[in-house]
Amino acid sequence: MTKFIFPIVAVIVMAVAPQFVSDYGLGLLIGVATYVTLASAWALFSGHTHYVSLATVAFYGTGAYTVAVLNEALPYWAVLLSAGAIGGIMAALVGLSTLRLQGVYFVIFSFGLAELVRQLITWYEVNVTGTLGRYIFLDITARGIYWQMLGLCVITIGLTAWINRSRLGMALRVIGDDEAVAAHAGINLAKVKLIAFVLSAIILTLAGAITSPRYVYVEPAIVFNPTVSFLTVIMALLGGANRLWGPALGAVPLFLVFEWLSANFPDSYPIFMGLLFIAVVFLLPDGVLAGIEKFRSRRKDAQ
């Protein structure tokens, strides 16, 4: 029972925090909640399978654009349901044709998917609708956006915890260790990977949909920024993508650091992001939590 006390208290504190911060502080809280959600959703599929996906922004941007297109035609709740459904269908179609790819081939495809979606939407807007961007007119406050994102964050971490204890989580871990062994053990590789990929994509799409009212004006170059994908991967890997709290551990400090760097060094902070990505991959491939555990075990062995 005690292991649930800290998460519950943390959620309560985060829920009431908007009442005691400035508008800038509220913006930081929204950013933190968004990237914890994105990193946790990314890790839901990639954490155990070790499939490094750079398609996060493809789903995130799709969610934002869905809201931009439908916000005047449907109630807000219906818009969110539509966004989740579109993200899930898109992930299912993509997953059925590409989850057989492995290693660098999957990485390259996932990055290309984000660019493909951006270019398709740009072409449609320019050639069919005759415009390039859309306005979002929704009566949703910044606090409302934050509470929605916090709720999605809690659902994502809760879903991850449940999957980790389920047969699906076990199957994902076996696939990540060795797909050949998983296949010989009778695991349906395509089905297991597709389920995890679709669940992850739905959450990523909903995250984009929920945050979209903050943009007010949406266009492909804004919501399909590849930085979102790279930041999500770095955050998840830094904390430990195969740990329940790893993505959150990586997302919170890194978001604050990158927020400060982008404000003070807007032209050079991507260099830092690239260096950090290389450092994480080579120095902490299993994340900070695993690194701490290894350090402790070595100290015990030395004693």
Side-chain angles (χ1 to χ4, degrees):
M1 182 63 184
T2 55
K3 65 181 180 180
F4 296 109
I5 294 178
F6 177 75
I8 292 173
V9 172
V11 170
I12 293 173
V13 170
M14 293 291 289
V16 300
Q19 308 297 335
F20 305 98
V21 298
S22 63
D23 290 342
Y24 176 73
L26 180 57
L28 290 179
L29 288 176
I30 293 174
V32 167
T34 299
Y35 273 101
V36 170
T37 303
L38 292 177
S40 298
W42 182 89
L44 190 153
F45 167 73
S46 298
H48 294 304
T49 62
H50 302 154
Y51 276 63
V52 177
S53 171
L54 294 177
T56 297
V57 78
F59 299 106
Y60 179 87
T62 297
Y65 238 92
T66 299
V67 175
V69 173
L70 299 179
N71 74 96
E72 295 184 12
L74 296 174
Y76 181 64
W77 63 268
V79 174
L80 291 184
L81 287 178
S82 300
I86 291 171
I89 293 171
M90 187 169 77
L93 294 175
V94 171
L96 286 171
S97 58
T98 64
L99 287 178
R100 300 181 187 276
L101 299 174
Q102 297 183 27
V104 68
Y105 301 104
F106 182 79
V107 176
I108 293 172
F109 175 83
S110 63
F111 181 76
L113 174 65
E115 184 63 18
L116 174 64
V117 175
R118 184 177 75 87
Q119 292 295 342
L120 286 175
I121 291 179
T122 300
W123 179 89
Y124 179 84
E125 292 287 67
V126 172
N127 293 279
V128 178
T129 66
T131 183
L132 188 58
R134 295 173 181 266
Y135 288 94
I136 298 177
F137 299 107
L138 288 171
D139 187 20
I140 300 176
T141 64
R143 286 186 174 87
I145 293 173
Y146 171 72
W147 284 322
Q148 289 179 63
M149 187 59 66
L150 181 62
L152 182 62
C153 181
V154 171
I155 291 172
T156 303
I157 295 175
L159 178 63
T160 302
W162 178 79
I163 288 176
N164 288 346
R165 294 170 176 265
S166 69
R167 294 180 63 183
L168 175 61
M170 177 64 73
L172 290 170
R173 288 189 288 273
V174 175
I175 290 173
D177 290 337
D178 193 318
E179 289 201 15
V181 172
H184 286 300
I187 295 174
N188 188 328
L189 302 182
K191 179 181 178 181
V192 169
K193 290 189 290 185
L194 185 64
I195 291 173
F197 188 64
V198 169
L199 289 175
S200 172
I202 290 174
I203 296 170
L204 296 174
T205 308
L206 287 174
I210 290 172
T211 57
S212 62
R214 294 200 73 208
Y215 292 109
V216 181
Y217 176 77
V218 168
E219 66 176 58
I222 295 174
V223 294
F224 290 97
N225 187 340
T227 301
V228 174
S229 291
F230 286 105
L231 276 178
T232 299
V233 174
I234 295 172
M235 290 171 176
L237 293 180
L238 178 63
N242 60 346
R243 307 296 181 98
L244 177 61
W245 298 105
L249 180 64
V252 174
L254 275 188
F255 172 78
L256 297 176
V257 168
F258 281 120
E259 186 73 13
W260 181 82
L261 288 172
S262 62
N264 293 277
F265 306 97
D267 297 325
S268 57
Y269 93 94
I271 298 175
F272 177 80
M273 182 173 66
L275 293 174
L276 181 60
F277 185 85
I278 294 172
V280 168
V281 170
F282 280 97
L283 300 179
L284 293 168
D286 297 320
V288 172
L289 292 178
I292 293 174
E293 290 179 357
K294 290 179 181 179
F295 177 75
R296 288 178 176 175
S297 64
R298 289 174 182 172
R299 287 191 61 183
K300 288 181 179 179
D301 294 340
Q303 293 173 356

